[in-house]
Amino acid sequence: DGARRREVRIAATVCCADVVSMLGSGMTIKFFPLFFWKEVGLTPIEVQAVFALAPAGIAALAQVAQRVSKKFGRIQTTLATKLCG
């Protein structure tokens, strides 16, 4: 059926975008501490605080996204989070 095909296409598109993003992140993420130190002016302790707090923020926002998806749907929530960055 047409709606199911559309959902599969959207899911496949999001999956491909995630793979491309992950590959790009693997090449750049190792330079984040250097960027935060040199360009932003953070101390090494502040850089480590950012890296320590980031997973907690991701976990909290994942819980929010789960609740939003129950109200608006998984595909719509996934697309909205992708558009937010």
Side-chain angles (χ1 to χ4, degrees), residues 28-77:
T28 60
I29 204 161
K30 59 185 162 195
F31 296 108
F32 282 178
L34 187 61
F35 170 79
F36 285 130
W37 175 45
K38 292 286 191 180
E39 299 295 324
V40 181
L42 295 181
T43 66
I45 292 173
E46 292 169 328
V47 170
Q48 289 307 309
V50 168
F51 279 89
L53 294 174
I58 292 169
L61 290 174
Q63 295 297 317
V64 171
Q66 186 178 21
R67 290 184 182 150
V68 169
S69 73
K70 289 180 180 176
K71 183 172 183 176
F72 297 106
R74 291 183 304 181
I75 298 291
Q76 292 81 358
T77 303

Side-chain angles (χ1 to χ4, degrees), residues 1-36:
D1 115 308
R4 177 75 178 138
R5 280 182 163 170
R6 182 172 181 265
E7 287 181 359
V8 169
R9 271 195 327 232
I10 291 171
T13 301
V14 170
C15 180
C16 288
D18 281 348
V19 169
V20 169
S21 178
M22 285 186 285
L23 291 172
S25 292
M27 291 184 266
T28 60
I29 204 161
K30 59 185 162 195
F31 296 108
F32 282 178
L34 187 61
F35 170 79
F36 285 130

